[in-house]
Amino acid sequence: LPARSFVLIFCDNGPEWVVSDFACGFSGFVSVPVAVTTHARTLGKILAQTECTVAVCDEARVPVLVDAMRDVESSEIVFRKLK
């Protein structure tokens, strides 16, 4: 990713969230933290405005993220399950 790219963080507060946020900061990316209670329509607007290409998302939030991506014209986010 190029420097200053936007990275969506859409997961519960916890170690994954903290590590993701710090990784963004140290790598020159802009973290876009979103509350887990955010609805798909609002999330879609956030994705469109920020043009996020990477999302850190826990498994429980994947359906909301997928639903949100339907409203974004050029959305392309790669999903990979963390072990």
Side-chain angles (χ1 to χ4, degrees):
L1 291 174
R4 306 292 301 156
S5 294
F6 292 92
V7 177
L8 183 83
I9 302 177
F10 188 47
C11 56
D12 284 323
N13 289 343
E16 295 86 0
W17 193 99
V18 174
V19 169
S20 300
D21 190 48
F22 277 111
C24 286
F26 284 115
S27 301
F29 304 137
V30 179
S31 65
V32 181
V34 178
V36 295
T37 56
T38 303
H39 294 282
R41 187 172 182 169
T42 303
L43 186 58
K45 291 178 182 180
I46 293 168
L47 288 170
Q49 288 178 349
T50 60
E51 299 180 359
C52 288
T53 54
V54 174
V56 178
C57 178
D58 57 23
E59 194 169 351
R61 312 286 177 256
V62 170
V64 178
L65 182 58
V66 170
D67 192 30
M69 290 174 59
R70 290 188 181 119
D71 296 333
V72 181
E73 280 186 28
S74 60
S75 63
E76 182 180 332
I77 294 179
V78 176
F79 290 92
R80 184 172 185 190
K81 186 175 181 179
L82 301 175
K83 296 179 182 181

